[in-house]
Coordinates of all heavy atoms in Angstrom, one line a residue:
H169 N 26.5 6.3 116.8 CA 27.4 5.4 116.1 C 26.7 4.7 115.0 O 25.4 4.6 115.0 CB 28.0 4.3 117.1 CG 28.8 4.8 118.2 ND1 30.1 5.3 117.9 CD2 28.6 5.0 119.5 CE1 30.7 5.7 119.1 NE2 29.8 5.6 120.0
D212 N 34.9 -0.6 112.6 CA 35.9 -0.2 113.6 C 35.9 -1.2 114.8 O 36.9 -1.4 115.5 CB 35.6 1.2 114.1 CG 35.7 2.2 113.0 OD1 36.8 2.3 112.4 OD2 34.7 2.9 112.7
F214 N 34.0 -4.9 116.1 CA 33.1 -6.1 115.9 C 32.8 -6.7 117.3 O 33.7 -7.0 118.0 CB 33.8 -7.1 115.0 CG 33.1 -8.4 114.8 CD1 32.1 -8.5 113.8 CD2 33.3 -9.5 115.6 CE1 31.3 -9.6 113.6 CE2 32.6 -10.7 115.4 CZ 31.6 -10.7 114.4
E247 N 38.3 -19.5 132.3 CA 39.7 -19.8 132.0 C 40.3 -18.9 130.9 O 41.4 -18.5 130.8 CB 39.9 -21.2 131.6 CG 41.3 -21.7 131.4 CD 41.4 -23.2 131.0 OE1 40.3 -23.7 130.7 OE2 42.5 -23.7 131.0
S324 N 35.9 12.2 155.3 CA 36.7 11.1 154.7 C 36.0 10.5 153.5 O 36.3 9.4 153.1 CB 36.8 10.0 155.8 OG 35.5 9.6 156.3
H326 N 33.7 11.6 149.5 CA 33.4 12.6 148.5 C 32.0 12.2 147.9 O 31.9 11.1 147.5 CB 34.4 12.7 147.4 CG 34.1 13.8 146.4 ND1 34.1 15.1 146.6 CD2 33.9 13.6 145.1 CE1 33.8 15.8 145.5 NE2 33.7 14.9 144.6
A347 N 16.1 12.9 152.9 CA 15.8 11.5 153.3 C 15.2 10.8 152.0 O 14.3 11.4 151.3 CB 14.8 11.5 154.4
T354 N 32.5 8.4 147.0 CA 33.8 7.7 146.8 C 34.6 7.9 148.1 O 34.4 8.9 148.8 CB 34.6 8.3 145.6 OG1 34.6 9.7 145.8 CG2 34.0 7.9 144.3
L388 N 28.0 -19.4 140.1 CA 29.3 -18.6 140.3 C 29.3 -17.8 141.6 O 30.3 -17.7 142.3 CB 29.4 -17.6 139.1 CG 29.8 -18.3 137.7 CD1 29.6 -17.3 136.6 CD2 31.2 -18.9 137.7
L456 N 9.1 -9.6 142.7 CA 8.0 -10.0 143.6 C 8.6 -10.9 144.7 O 8.2 -10.8 145.9 CB 6.9 -10.7 142.9 CG 6.0 -9.8 142.0 CD1 5.1 -10.7 141.1 CD2 5.3 -8.8 142.8
A460 N 8.6 -10.3 148.8 CA 8.1 -11.3 149.8 C 9.2 -11.5 150.8 O 8.9 -11.6 152.0 CB 7.7 -12.6 149.1

Side-chain angles (χ1 to χ4, degrees):
H169 294 287
D212 299 302
F214 177 83
E247 187 180 12
S324 52
H326 180 67
T354 52
L388 291 168
L456 291 172

